[in-house]
Amino acid sequence: MIGLHFGIKDVIDILLVAVMFYYGFVLLRRSGAANLFWGIFAFLIIWVLVCFVFQLELTGALFDRIISVGAIALIVIFQEEIRSFFYHVGARFSAFKLNNKVSRAEEREMQVKQIYDACLHMSESKVGALIVLRNKQELSAFTDTGEMVDGKISTRLIENLFFKNSPLHDGALFIAKGKIQSAGCILPVSKNMDIPQHYGLRHRAALGLSEVSDVTCIVVSEETGKISIAQSNTIRTIPLSELKSIIENNLN
């Protein structure tokens, strides 16, 4: 009795064949020839039985010839589908390589620009906004009070969230780990009595959060369009020339 030796290489071998069959089936199904796949599959099973199980040399040689010619015929018949398949595989591989080439610094620079442009546009249009750049400290007690967004940092998305008719425009928007985390969040209002009177509720909420956490809050005034920064228990109005560097230094 012949002993069977089944190891890790055999598992890998079976998995590779299964993957090839799967993609072959997908390729033929897209072309509307799924029945052809099952015909080829049945033929291959017969070929394995003839050549490797029963070891019929003459029939096996004939089957080998048919497979050689049949493989070329399939390539000719399905050349468009095969070309399309390899094109998609190559496109995914190229995208993967491209993503690897884009450095974290370039990605971060793009995110800074998106936030800066949004603040600039809202300042020019006098659209009130409160953006929180979260640091390492977990602030789920505040982020959970709003709506989870978990979206890519985008100028348009930020502006839309603070649009006057948006249901989330009155709350704070949290940015952390390269994403817009949540919007419409409720923040604690500072009880500091020394806050200048011209600062509104957004400014007081930004200062209140900076008093209990290590965040950097960007506030756009709805009345004047001026931009203020709340950080480390203080709040101050800044010129636009300082905004980009502040975002760069505090974006996590």
Side-chain angles (χ1 to χ4, degrees), residues 126-146:
K126 293 185 179 180
V127 174
L130 173 50
I131 300 173
V132 181
L133 304 181
R134 186 169 69 82
N135 209 328
K136 295 180 181 180
Q137 187 177 352
E138 184 61 42
L139 297 173
S140 58
F142 304 114
T143 57
D144 290 349
T145 61

Side-chain angles (χ1 to χ4, degrees), residues 74-121:
L74 286 175
I75 292 173
V76 173
I77 294 171
F78 296 103
Q79 57 180 320
E80 292 297 329
E81 288 80 3
I82 293 172
R83 184 185 292 114
S84 176
F85 171 75
F86 282 110
Y87 173 80
H88 287 297
V89 171
R92 289 184 180 182
F93 181 72
S94 298
F96 176 75
K97 289 179 65 179
L98 181 62
N99 288 336
N100 283 343
K101 288 181 180 179
V102 176
S103 67
R104 171 58 182 160
E106 291 172 335
E107 183 183 358
R108 196 169 184 275
E109 183 179 350
M110 192 180 304
Q111 293 170 351
V112 169
K113 185 179 185 304
Q114 296 293 317
I115 299 171
Y116 174 80
D117 287 347
C119 293
L120 178 62
H121 297 161

Side-chain angles (χ1 to χ4, degrees), residues 16-42 44 74 78 81-82 85:
L16 288 174
V17 172
V19 169
M20 286 190 288
F21 270 107
Y22 170 75
Y23 280 106
F25 174 72
V26 171
L27 185 66
L28 292 174
R29 187 176 63 180
R30 287 177 181 172
S31 63
N35 290 335
L36 181 60
F37 170 82
W38 296 113
I40 295 172
F41 184 69
L44 289 174
L74 286 175
F78 296 103
E81 288 80 3
I82 293 172
F85 171 75

